C-alpha cells in the first residue's frame, strides 16, 4: 500500500517489545532491524536503510552459524543499498560474500543463488558493463528454469531482467521477446490485475516507443493504466504515476506536447497526494515537465521544473551521481536557449566534471557532453574552444561501433563550420569532406543536406580563388536542388548566383550570364519586385555587359538595379552611389554626356554625404565630372572639379602617379583655355613630374606632357 509511516509505527512497537524481552543479539531483533532497513530503503533514505541493515548483519554474525542463509540475505540487502548509492565496489563485495555463503548453504542450482546473480547483474548494468550484467542475468535465469515449476513468477522476473538489459544494450528484438515471455508467464500465474503486470506492460511499451511504434506503445501503457484504475490502491500508487509518465513520454515523442504535459500533470497529481512518494520518482516527473516546456519554448517554466528536480536530487544523490549530471545538462540546455551562455557553460562544466569522472572515456554520453559545450562556445563565437570540444566528441564517436552515422556526420559538419569561421580553410574542407563521405553512404543521392555540404565546400574553394573546383561543387549542389521540390526555392537561386560569381571571376562571361539569368528567374518568382537582392543581380549582369562593350544592356540593367535601390530604405547608400557611378560610366562610353553627368552628380551627392572629404574614391569621381564638364565647354567648372580631385590625390600616402599625371595635364589644358597661363604652367610641370614617377624619364607620356610645358612657356 506504500503507507510507510504506519509500517514504521508498527515495526517500532514490535521492536520495543522485542528489545524489552529478548537478549540484545537475538536473531529476531535482526529480522526487525532488517524490516526497518527495507522500509527506509523503499522511502529512499539510503543512509538509514544502511544503518539498520548493518545492525541486522551484526546480530546475525554473532548469533547465527557461519554459513547461515540469513547472513547472505543481509549482505544482499546492504549490497543493494550500496548499488543505489553508486558505490559499486562495496556493492559487489557484499554480493560476493552473500554468494559465498549461499554456495555453501544451498545446492548449486538453488533459487536463492539466482537472486544474488540478479543483484550482480544490476550492479554491472549500472557500471555500463552490459555484457557482464547479461551473463549474470542469464545465470539467474538458468537456475530458475531448472529449479522452479514452469510459469513460476520468478522465471517471469528473470525474463523481465533479461529484457531490461537487452533494451539497455540496444537489442530491441531480444528485449521485446524477453518482455513478452515474461508477460505470458505472468498472465498465466498471476491475477489479471496484479501490479507486476503493470511493470511488464510498461516495459514492452517502452521498447515499442524506442522503435518509433508510438501507437502500439500507447496501447500497452493504456493496459497498464487500466490495471491501476481497477484497484483503488493502485490508482494512486507510484505505479500509476509511473504509467502516466510513460504515456506522457510517448505523446512527447509524437511531438504532441500539450497532451504529454497533461499526463505528466496527472503523474504529479498522484505523487502530490502520496505521503510516501519517492523523491526520485517525483524528480522524474519534474524533469519530464521541464523537458516538455523546453520543447514548447517556455524556457522559464522549463527552468522552474528542472530546478525542482535538481533540488530533490542534490539532497538525495552524491555530488558525482550521473543522474544529477543529467539534470545539470537539462538546465544548461535551457540556459543555452535563453542565450545566457555564462550560466549554460557553468552547468555544462558541472556535467562534464561528473561524467568524466564516472563514465568510460569512450562513452557516447561523454561525446554528447563535449558536443553540447562546443555548441555553447560556438554561440559565443569562441570558435577555437568550440573546435577543441567538437574534436573531443569526434575522438569518441569515430571509435564507436554503435554511433549513429547521422550524429557523426553532424559532428564533422559542425567542426567544419567552426574552422571556416576561424578562416582555417584547409581544416574546414577536411571536415566537410568527412561529413560528406558519411552522408553519401547513408542518404539518398538527392538529399538536400548533401547540397548544403557541396555549397559550403564550394564557397571555401571560391574564397581560395580555386574557381574550377568551386564550380564543380556548386554544380553538384544545383543538380540536387533542381530535382528537389520546389524547383524555385531560394537556396537554388543562391547556388545559381554563386556559380555565376565564380564564372565571372574566371572571366567566363557567357557562363556567368547564363547562371545570373537562372538565379534571376527563380528570384523573380519568389521575391517582391523591389527586393534588394534583385538589384544586386541586375548590377552584376550589367557589369558583365559593360565589359563586353554592350552598353545598351548594361544601362538597362543598371537602371533596374537603381529603380529598386531608390525605393528602398537605403536610398542614400554607398551601394546605390556605386550603381549611379557605373551607369554614368556606361552613358559616357556611348557619349551620352548629359545622362553621364546626371548620374555622376547623383553618385557624388551620396558619397560627399557619406564619406570623409578626403576619401580616395571621391578623386576619380571629381575627375570624371571634370572631364564631362570640359567636353561640354564648361571650362571653369571642369577646372574646379580637377582641382578637387588633385587635392585628394596629393594627400594620399601611396599616390597613383599615372592618374595624377593625367589630371594635372587636363587641368593645365583648362587653365590655358581660360587664360590662366601661370596656373597652366604649374600644372603642366607637375604632370611631367608625376609622369616620370609613374612611367620613368623616357616614357612617351613624359615627352607629351613636356611638349605642353614648352607650349605654355612659349605663350608666356
Amino acid at each position: 500500500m506504500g503507507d510507510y509511516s504506519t509500517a514504521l509505527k508498527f515495526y517500532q512497537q514490535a521492536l520495543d517489545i522485542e528489545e524489552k524481552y529478548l537478549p540484545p543479539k537475538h536473531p529476531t531483533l535482526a529480522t526487525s532491524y532488517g524490516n526497518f532497513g527495507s522500509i527506509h530503503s523503499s522511502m529512499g533514505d539510503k543512509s538509514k536503510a544502511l544503518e539498520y541493515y548493518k545492525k541486522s548483519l551484526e546480530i546475525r554474525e554473532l548469533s547465527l552459524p557461519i554459513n547461515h542463509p540469513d547472513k547472505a540475505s543481509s549482505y544482499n540487502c546492504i549490497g543493494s543499498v550500496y548499488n543505489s548509492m553508486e558505490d559499486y565496489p562495496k556493492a559487489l563485495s557484499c554480493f560476493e560474500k552473500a554468494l559465498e555463503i549461499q554456495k555453501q548453504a544451498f545446492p548449486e542450482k538453488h533459487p536463492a543463488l539466482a537472486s544474488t546473480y540478479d543483484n550482480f547483474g544490476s550492479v554491472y548494468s549500472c557500471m555500463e558493463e552490459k555484457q557482464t550484467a547479461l551473463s549474470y542475468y542469464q545465470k539467474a535465469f538458468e537456475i530458475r528454469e531448472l529449479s522452479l515449476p514452469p510459469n513460476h513468477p520468478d522465471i517471469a522476473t528473470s525474463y523481465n531482467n533479461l529484457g531490461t538489459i537487452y533494451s539497455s544494450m540496444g537489442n530491441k528484438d531480444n528485449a521485446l521477446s524477453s518482455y513478452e515471455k515474461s508477460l505470458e508467464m505472468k498472465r498465466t500465474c498471476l491475477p489479471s490485475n496484479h501490479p507486476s503486470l503493470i511493470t511488464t506492460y510498461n516495459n514492452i511499451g517502452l521498447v515499442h516507443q524506442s522503435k518509433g511504434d508510438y501507437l502500439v506503445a500507447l496501447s500497452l501503457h493504456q493496459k497498464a493504466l487500466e490495471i491501476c484504475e481497477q484497484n483503488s490502491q493502485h490508482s494512486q500508487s507510484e505505479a500509476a504515476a509511473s504509467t502516466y509518465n510513460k504515456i506522457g513520454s510517448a505523446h512527447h515523442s509524437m511531438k504532441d506536447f500539450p497532451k504529454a504535459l497533461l499526463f505528466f500533470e496527472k503523474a504529479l497529481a498522484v505523487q502530490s497526494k502520496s505521503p510516501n512518494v519517492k523523491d526520485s520518482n517525483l524528480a522524474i516527473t519534474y524533469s519530464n515537465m521541464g523537458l516538455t516546456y523546453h520543447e514548447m519554448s517556455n524556457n522559464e517554466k522549463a527552468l522552474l521544473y528542472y530546478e525542482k528536480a535538481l533540488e530533490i536530487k542534490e539532497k538525495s544523490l552524491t555530488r558525482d551521481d550521473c543522474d544529477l549530471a543529467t539534470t545539470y545538462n537539462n538546465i544548461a540546455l535551457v540556459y543555452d536557449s535563453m542565450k545566457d551562455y555564462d550560466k549554460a557553460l557553468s552547468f555544462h562544466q558541472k556535467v562534464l566534471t561528473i561524467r568524466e569522472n564516472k563514465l568510460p572515456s569512450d562513452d557516447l554520453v561523454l561525446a554528447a557532453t563535449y558536443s553540447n559545450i562546443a555548441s555553447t562556445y560556438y554561440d559565443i563565437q569562441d570558435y577555437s574552444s568550440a573546435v577543441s570540444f567538437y574534436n573531443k566528441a569526434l575522438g569518441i564517436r569515430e571509435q564507436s561501433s554503435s554511433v549513429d552515422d547521422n550524429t557523426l556526420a553532424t559532428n564533422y559538419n559542425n567542426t567544419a563550420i567552426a574552422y571556416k569561421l576561424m578562416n582555417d580553410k584547409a581544416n574546414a574542407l577536411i571536415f566537410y569532406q568527412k561529413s560528406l563521405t558519411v552522408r553519401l553512404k547513408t542518404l539518398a543521392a538527392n538529399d538536400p543536406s548533401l547540397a548544403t555540404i557541396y555549397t559550403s565546400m564550394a564557397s571555401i574553394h571560391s574564397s581560395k580563388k580555386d574557381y574550377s573546383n568551386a564550380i564543380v561543387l556548386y554544380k553538384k549542389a544545383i543538380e540536387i536542388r533542381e530535382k528537389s521540390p520546389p524547383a524555385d526555392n531560394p537556396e537554388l537561386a543562391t547556388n545559381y548566383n554563386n556559380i555565376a560569381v565564380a564564372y565571372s571571376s574566371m572571366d567566363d562571361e557567357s557562363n556567368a550570364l547564363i547562371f545570373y539569368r537562372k538565379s534571376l528567374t527563380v528570384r523573380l518568382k519568389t521575391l517582391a519586385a523591389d527586393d534588394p537582392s534583385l538589384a544586386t543581380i541586375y548590377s552584376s549582369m550589367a557589369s558583365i555587359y559593360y565589359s563586353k562593350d554592350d552598353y545598351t544592356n548594361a544601362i538597362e540593367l543598371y537602371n533596374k538595379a537603381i529603380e529598386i535601390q531608390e525605393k528602398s530604405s537605403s536610398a542614400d547608400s554607398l551601394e546605390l552611389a556605386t550603381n549611379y557611378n557605373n551607369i554614368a560610366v556606361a552613358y559616357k562610353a556611348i557619349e551620352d554626356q548629359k545622362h553621364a553627368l546626371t548620374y555622376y552628380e547623383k553618385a557624388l551627392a551620396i558619397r560627399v554625404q557619406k564619406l570623409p572629404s578626403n576619401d580616395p574614391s571621391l578623386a576619380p569621381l571629381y575627375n570624371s565630372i571634370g572631364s564631362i564638364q570640359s567636353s561640354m565647354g564648361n571650362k571653369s567648372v571642369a577646372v574646379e572639379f580637377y582641382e578637387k580631385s588633385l587635392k585628394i590625390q596629393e594627400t594620399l600616402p601611396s599616390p597613383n602617379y599615372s592618374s595624377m599625371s593625367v589630371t594635372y595635364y587636363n587641368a593645365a589644358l583648362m587653365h590655358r583655355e581660360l587664360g590662366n597661363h601661370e596656373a597652366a604652367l604649374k600644372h603642366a610641370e607637375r604632370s611631367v613630374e608625376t609622369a616620370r614617377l609613374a612611367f620613368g624619364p623616357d616614357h612617351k607620356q613624359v615627352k607629351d606632357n613636356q611638349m605642353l610645358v614648352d607650349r605654355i612657356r612659349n605663350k608666356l
Side-chain angles (χ1 to χ4, degrees), residues 463-477:
S463 71
K464 295 172 70 177
K465 303 191 186 318
D466 181 0
Y467 301 117
S468 297
N469 274 320
I471 287 168
V472 169
L473 291 161
Y474 279 136
K475 283 185 174 178
K476 287 186 176 183

Side-chain angles (χ1 to χ4, degrees), residues 575-641:
E575 188 179 353
L576 176 58
T578 299
N579 272 338
Y580 283 144
N581 188 80
N582 290 341
I583 198 170
V585 173
Y587 275 121
K588 187 177 180 183
I590 60 173
E591 298 184 6
D592 184 341
Q593 308 287 21
K594 181 181 176 182
H595 278 105
L597 183 59
T598 298
Y599 283 103
Y600 275 135
E601 287 174 341
K602 285 186 176 187
L604 181 62
I606 293 174
R607 286 180 175 169
V608 165
Q609 179 188 350
K610 295 284 187 179
L611 300 174
S613 60
N614 63 343
D615 190 277
S617 69
L618 293 172
L621 191 49
Y622 286 135
N623 223 8
S624 297
I625 294 174
S627 173
I628 292 177
Q629 293 288 359
S630 171
S631 68
M632 295 173 74
N634 300 323
K635 296 169 186 173
S636 58
V637 178
V639 164
E640 178 188 344
F641 279 95

